[in-house]
Amino acid sequence: MSSMDSTSNCDESSESDLNPSQEDLAFPLSEANSLFSLSKRLDELLISYESLHKAWPLQEPVRLPAPVENKLSVKDRAEVLDQRAADNEVQVVRERFSKLLLGEDMSGSGKGVSSAVAISNAITNLYATVFGNCHKLEPLPVEKKILWQREMDCLLSVCDYIVELFPSSQSLPDGTKLEVMATRPRSDISINLPALEKLDAMLLDMLDDFEKTEFWYIDENKSLLQDNAVTPLVTTPHRSVDKWWLPVPSLPNAGISEKAIKGLRQKRDCAYQIHKAALAINCAILAEMEIPESYIQALPKSGRACVGDSIYRYMSTLDRFSPEHLIDCLKISSEHEALALANCVEAAMYVWQRKARAARSKPSWSIVKELMDASDKNFVLATRAESVLLSLRNQFPSLPQSRVDTSKIQHNKDVGQAILESYSRVLESLAHNIVSLIDDVLFTDASVKQR
């Protein structure tokens, strides 16, 4: 019993040591004067707390992941950027190809336009994106120039696969000659496309030449006066009223130098010749397009109903017909009135051509023109209508497309003709804009020097 009691006492003492009470932690007042007893008691408490600390589970410290070091060199980073740029270009090509393939119908239900109309719209929209804000004689921004060249190169690449067949011969190893059909670029594309690309490059180079000029631009609706500068306060009289929002050129008080004037006139003549060349190509392509049957069916039965009694009387009774005199008598003062007259005269022209072909049982108007039968009244009226349209084009170079031209473009199925027509049309518009902007500068300079 005594041994068990001693054992139990030892266990109780050990538990009491592991779990000290508040009384044990407090310093007894009876031993306050005994340094030896106090030191002994502190050692016992230290041993008990160390045993408790060993019994508790230890928690590992949280270690944050070390930051990943960017070990890419300058060359590697350049390769990554080039790869991203290449991926972006591939994405643009994919998007362009998808839109052309779907015919601008994103639903994919087959209700889109034809491939010819889709690529024509793509070239027109690209021109509006790049040159839509080209209202000043200044170089084209680099990013827009790159966009224009890259996108046009992609769109024009279709022409590389438009070919025609022609008879050719092939020699076999044994000397035998065989007649085969070979392929070559279609004649209209091989002739007109290189010419249009040359005109395109000339226009871009011309804009680059305006990097350093003796004039600058301000917004006409802002009353901005600068030192040693002449700022027109009103719209230039030669400019159309509906183009009031275009920027106005500002010149020094003495105007620009004779050398600069000579350079501007040379550039104007060059741009005008480019405009004439692009217009000629565009008119030739439009003439080759078939007239939609819907337009023919909508024409009236007589040309007189198209142009009215007064114009019809003038065109049919006079022996010596002058289209310029007719236009002067009508007092055409705006492009809107000129376009309305062109639509009427063009409709009457096709009515008279149809009657002239029916009278001679000829399917083509060109064959009828070769016969040159001046006794046929319909033939005479159709020829005079053509001269009126040509005179209108000369007096109003920026005349929009007529109703029949628009109908031809919308119903065209020939991809090659669509590319040539849209490409020549946008270059014609760009050349005309450059001519108009140069005229603004020259007119302002003349006004300044007359003061």
Side-chain angles (χ1 to χ4, degrees), residues 391-409:
S391 181
L392 280 173
R393 287 288 182 183
N394 292 333
Q395 293 190 23
F396 299 91
S398 60
L399 190 67
Q401 290 178 331
S402 61
R403 187 179 296 114
V404 65
D405 292 340
T406 304
S407 182
K408 285 181 178 181
I409 295 173

Side-chain angles (χ1 to χ4, degrees), residues 65-79:
V68 179
E69 296 183 359
N70 190 359
K71 297 182 180 180
L72 291 178
S73 63
V74 176
K75 182 178 179 180
D76 295 336
R77 292 178 181 178
E79 293 178 355

Side-chain angles (χ1 to χ4, degrees), residues 165-239:
L165 300 176
F166 69 99
S168 179
S169 61
Q170 182 178 5
S171 299
L172 298 179
D174 59 356
T176 305
K177 291 186 177 181
L178 297 178
E179 292 185 356
V180 296
M181 298 299 292
T183 61
R184 62 186 177 189
R186 210 169 69 181
S187 58
D188 58 340
I189 295 177
S190 61
I191 295 174
N192 294 317
L193 185 58
L196 292 175
E197 291 177 336
K198 181 63 176 179
L199 298 179
D200 187 0
M202 293 174 64
L203 290 174
L204 292 179
D205 292 340
M206 188 179 301
L207 290 176
D208 292 337
D209 291 339
F210 290 105
E211 184 176 2
K212 295 181 180 180
T213 59
E214 298 181 10
F215 56 89
W216 57 96
Y217 287 90
I218 62 170
D219 292 333
E220 192 174 25
N221 55 354
K222 295 181 181 180
S223 57
L224 178 62
L225 299 178
Q226 299 181 359
D227 296 336
N228 192 27
V230 174
T231 303
L233 300 179
V234 295
T235 306
T236 51
H238 72 286
R239 180 184 290 175

Side-chain angles (χ1 to χ4, degrees), residues 99-163:
K99 288 183 179 180
L100 294 177
L101 191 63
L102 294 172
E104 300 178 356
D105 179 21
M106 298 299 104
S107 65
S109 58
K111 298 180 181 179
V113 297
S114 63
S115 300
V117 177
I119 199 169
S120 177
N121 293 340
I123 294 176
T124 304
N125 295 335
L126 178 62
Y127 171 78
T129 301
V130 176
F131 299 99
N133 295 324
C134 183
H135 306 315
K136 300 177 182 179
L137 292 175
E138 60 184 8
L140 193 68
V142 178
E143 60 275 7
K144 287 190 175 182
K145 187 176 182 179
I146 295 176
L147 174 64
W148 171 258
Q149 293 175 341
R150 183 184 67 233
E151 295 294 324
M152 283 304 300
D153 182 68
C154 178
L155 294 172
L156 296 178
S157 63
V158 180
C159 296
D160 297 338
Y161 304 94
I162 301 178
V163 296

Side-chain angles (χ1 to χ4, degrees), residues 209-364:
D209 291 339
F210 290 105
E211 184 176 2
K212 295 181 180 180
T213 59
E214 298 181 10
F215 56 89
W216 57 96
Y217 287 90
I218 62 170
D219 292 333
E220 192 174 25
N221 55 354
K222 295 181 181 180
S223 57
L224 178 62
L225 299 178
Q226 299 181 359
D227 296 336
N228 192 27
V230 174
T231 303
L233 300 179
V234 295
T235 306
T236 51
H238 72 286
R239 180 184 290 175
S240 303
V241 179
D242 56 347
K243 296 182 179 180
W244 57 268
W245 41 269
L246 291 177
V248 178
S250 182
L251 279 67
N253 284 327
I256 58 180
S257 63
E258 293 297 327
K259 181 179 179 181
I261 293 176
K262 183 179 179 180
L264 284 175
R265 288 175 178 171
Q266 290 177 351
K267 290 182 176 64
R268 185 196 181 281
D269 295 339
C270 181
Y272 182 70
Q273 295 300 325
I274 293 175
H275 174 267
K276 289 178 61 177
L279 178 61
I281 295 175
N282 186 263
C283 292
I285 298 301
L286 285 173
E288 294 177 0
M289 291 184 180
E290 296 182 359
I291 303 175
E293 190 64 27
S294 58
Y295 178 84
I296 298 297
Q297 294 178 356
L299 292 176
K301 295 182 178 180
S302 65
R304 186 170 188 170
C306 298
V307 296
D309 294 336
S310 60
I311 298 178
Y312 176 79
R313 194 180 301 112
Y314 181 85
M315 295 179 66
S316 59
T317 57
L318 295 180
D319 295 335
R320 294 183 179 180
F321 175 75
S322 174
E324 292 79 9
H325 184 263
L326 173 61
I327 296 175
D328 293 339
C329 293
L330 295 175
K331 297 180 179 179
I332 304 297
S333 59
S334 64
E335 292 182 356
H336 179 74
E337 295 177 355
L339 181 60
L341 177 62
N343 288 329
C344 296
V345 174
E346 198 168 35
M349 180 187 68
Y350 285 114
V351 172
W352 292 324
Q353 287 182 2
R354 182 175 57 184
K355 291 182 178 180
R357 292 198 308 268
R360 290 188 169 271
S361 301
K362 300 297 181 181
S364 174

Side-chain angles (χ1 to χ4, degrees), residues 53-67:
H53 179 69
K54 293 179 180 180
W56 292 342
L58 295 178
Q59 185 177 2
E60 294 292 335
V62 179
R63 295 182 179 180
L64 297 177

